Amino acid sequence: MRLLFLCCLFVGTPLLAAPIQLKLLEWGYLPAGYEQQFADYARANGMEVTVSRVEPLLTDFDSVYRALRTRSADVVMPTSYFYKAHHHPLFKLLLPIDFSRLSHYPELKPTLRNTEYDKQGERSYSVPFIYAMFSLAYDSKQIAQAPTSWQVLADDLPQGQFAVFCDQFEPLLFSVLLSLGKSPALFASGEMLADQPLQQEVERLLTRRLKSSRGFWFNQTNSCEALRQQRLATTWGLELVECNRQNGQQWRIAMVQEGAIYALDALSIARHVKDDPDKLKAAYLLIDFLLSAPLQSRMLVGTPTISGSNRAARPPLTPEEQAVLPERAMPEFDERLLVPALPAHIKNRYKRMVQQALVASGKAELAKQCPWDVEN
């Protein structure tokens, strides 16, 4: 009789699904406590899911590729040019995105809802998440009129008024081409190499810019000590508020007519996740959570020059943060100005251009401190 009672009891009680564990490979800038916030978000959507951050953090293409190959990550956050780098191997390790499974996808900025960087055929393999602009900045206490072109870095300036970014060589060479008023497509396609007069002019201005510079900066931010000695800067904007505070300066982003250069991080799902329907559902839930305006707004606090993909993600700015932005609104995202994935033969020729300019400018020895891969 008791056995029959227990049998009936279990038949009438729904079994709880086992908790799902997701592994996320990211860069380390997500807001503190996002793991618990996601667990609460998942529970509110009828799932028991926990997310853990993969260590070591994402650092470069190889770290993403390795994590996907070894199934060490379920959701990853590649930078846009990773997708088509090194003959496109990431596409074989990722799932195409079904945007209909993302409730917050319609909230994304229109310019981010039809991208090409992550397409293979008609399929897209990512969702844009966050982007930054590689910009020209000026100390408005020393320069009354905002610069309007990248060309200012090749003008006759007093020596050492700016430093050159060298985590990557692409923004340097790309911005030199843009300063000539040329189409961004000439850089991504390598067509500028087929135009000898244009290539020679780029090389001349590249050498001139390197010669005029005071040296190099890397690891994503200029030091405040370095900015204290400068009137101009190339920057992602991350350090400007703090350096204004420390130095008593008034750094501000300049709106150059050729456009700033963009870097974008995106969200993708590892291909192996398709073998587990519940985990796949949880992966889409995690991406949807990361696309939400509340999460992105928390993440963007204190970073006025960084933008989220959700058009409603606008944390309030302090007066100090507002002061580093241009007087007019920041431009809309423009995919043509993304740092592109370059085919190896084009990338190698661009590297040789940079190497030659470093020698001609007298900056080759100083550039050895840089983490870029110009000599590889």
Side-chain angles (χ1 to χ4, degrees), residues 157-303:
L157 294 169
Q159 189 73 22
Q161 293 301 306
F162 67 95
V164 171
F165 173 65
C166 66
D167 280 343
Q168 305 164 263
F169 75 86
E170 288 92 342
L172 167 61
L173 196 55
F174 197 4
S175 61
V176 170
L177 175 69
L178 292 177
S179 75
L180 292 168
K182 300 300 181 180
S183 166
L186 297 177
F187 183 76
S189 67
E191 288 179 70
M192 82 171 194
L193 296 168
D195 184 336
Q196 190 171 14
L198 175 59
Q199 182 180 339
Q200 289 173 344
E201 182 64 5
V202 169
E203 289 171 345
R204 185 183 71 82
L205 290 180
L206 176 61
T207 300
R208 194 167 171 179
R209 184 187 296 190
L210 287 165
K211 189 171 183 177
S212 296
S213 74
R214 63 188 305 269
F216 302 90
W217 65 275
F218 45 93
N219 291 338
Q220 305 305 323
T221 58
N222 292 275
S223 72
C224 293
E225 181 182 356
L227 289 188
R228 190 178 293 118
Q229 305 171 56
Q230 299 177 198
R231 299 170 62 201
L232 294 166
T234 57
T235 181
W236 295 104
L238 298 170
E239 72 281 17
L240 298 184
V241 173
E242 180 59 28
C243 292
N244 281 342
R245 187 179 301 123
Q246 286 189 29
N247 296 349
Q249 293 176 288
Q250 189 53 70
W251 286 99
R252 193 167 204 172
I253 298 294
M255 296 280 280
V256 293
Q257 61 196 12
E258 306 92 352
I261 295 168
Y262 291 93
L264 180 144
D265 292 339
L267 297 161
S268 293
I269 300 173
R271 184 171 290 273
H272 69 259
V273 175
K274 71 175 181 180
D275 299 332
D276 184 335
D278 288 335
K279 181 170 277 194
L280 180 60
K281 184 178 178 181
Y284 273 105
L285 200 59
L286 174 59
I287 290 179
D288 214 30
F289 166 73
L290 293 172
L291 294 180
S292 68
L295 180 282
Q296 291 196 6
S297 292
R298 285 194 298 274
M299 179 181 64
L300 295 172
V301 168
T303 58

Side-chain angles (χ1 to χ4, degrees), residues 14-322:
L15 293 174
L16 291 175
I20 297 166
Q21 303 224 342
L22 285 176
K23 294 171 288 186
L24 171 63
L25 179 62
E26 47 110 348
W27 294 91
Y29 56 66
L30 291 179
Y34 80 88
E35 298 95 337
Q36 183 56 53
Q37 291 162 0
F38 170 63
D40 296 340
Y41 180 87
R43 196 170 298 113
N45 283 273
M47 296 192 77
E48 287 291 328
V49 189
T50 59
V51 61
S52 59
R53 191 169 75 172
V54 175
E55 303 280 356
L57 295 174
L58 196 158
T59 54
D60 53 18
F61 172 87
D62 287 339
S63 63
V64 177
Y65 183 67
R66 186 167 52 250
L68 292 170
R69 281 289 303 272
T70 60
R71 300 193 173 195
S72 301
D74 305 310
V75 177
V76 294
M77 195 184 289
T79 291
S80 57
Y81 66 86
F82 289 2
Y83 289 89
K84 294 181 179 178
H86 306 291
H87 307 291
H88 310 187
L90 286 193
F91 288 123
K92 298 176 182 178
L93 301 171
L94 297 172
L95 284 176
I97 295 291
D98 179 355
F99 296 110
S100 69
R101 301 182 70 164
L102 299 168
S103 65
H104 294 299
Y105 184 73
E107 300 168 15
L108 267 59
K109 296 170 183 176
T111 52
L112 292 167
R113 292 208 299 267
N114 186 25
T115 54
E116 295 296 326
Y117 70 85
D118 61 335
K119 273 198 175 135
Q120 188 173 66
E122 294 301 311
R123 293 178 165 183
S124 295
Y125 285 76
S126 82
V127 187
F129 179 51
I130 186 173
Y131 61 91
M133 292 196 313
F134 180 73
S135 305
L136 178 65
Y138 66 105
D139 180 6
S140 59
K141 284 189 174 181
Q142 300 184 71
I143 300 177
Q145 191 69 34
T148 58
S149 170
W150 287 108
Q151 187 73 36
V152 71
L153 299 180
D155 289 345
D156 292 324
L157 294 169
Q159 189 73 22
Q161 293 301 306
F162 67 95
V164 171
F165 173 65
C166 66
D167 280 343
Q168 305 164 263
F169 75 86
E170 288 92 342
L172 167 61
L173 196 55
F174 197 4
S175 61
V176 170
L177 175 69
L178 292 177
S179 75
L180 292 168
K182 300 300 181 180
S183 166
L186 297 177
F187 183 76
S189 67
E191 288 179 70
M192 82 171 194
L193 296 168
D195 184 336
Q196 190 171 14
L198 175 59
Q199 182 180 339
Q200 289 173 344
E201 182 64 5
V202 169
E203 289 171 345
R204 185 183 71 82
L205 290 180
L206 176 61
T207 300
R208 194 167 171 179
R209 184 187 296 190
L210 287 165
K211 189 171 183 177
S212 296
S213 74
R214 63 188 305 269
F216 302 90
W217 65 275
F218 45 93
N219 291 338
Q220 305 305 323
T221 58
N222 292 275
S223 72
C224 293
E225 181 182 356
L227 289 188
R228 190 178 293 118
Q229 305 171 56
Q230 299 177 198
R231 299 170 62 201
L232 294 166
T234 57
T235 181
W236 295 104
L238 298 170
E239 72 281 17
L240 298 184
V241 173
E242 180 59 28
C243 292
N244 281 342
R245 187 179 301 123
Q246 286 189 29
N247 296 349
Q249 293 176 288
Q250 189 53 70
W251 286 99
R252 193 167 204 172
I253 298 294
M255 296 280 280
V256 293
Q257 61 196 12
E258 306 92 352
I261 295 168
Y262 291 93
L264 180 144
D265 292 339
L267 297 161
S268 293
I269 300 173
R271 184 171 290 273
H272 69 259
V273 175
K274 71 175 181 180
D275 299 332
D276 184 335
D278 288 335
K279 181 170 277 194
L280 180 60
K281 184 178 178 181
Y284 273 105
L285 200 59
L286 174 59
I287 290 179
D288 214 30
F289 166 73
L290 293 172
L291 294 180
S292 68
L295 180 282
Q296 291 196 6
S297 292
R298 285 194 298 274
M299 179 181 64
L300 295 172
V301 168
T303 58
T305 61
I306 309 297
S307 300
S309 56
N310 191 310
R311 61 178 179 267
R314 297 188 187 96
L317 298 177
T318 66
E320 293 80 10
E321 291 165 354
Q322 185 65 53

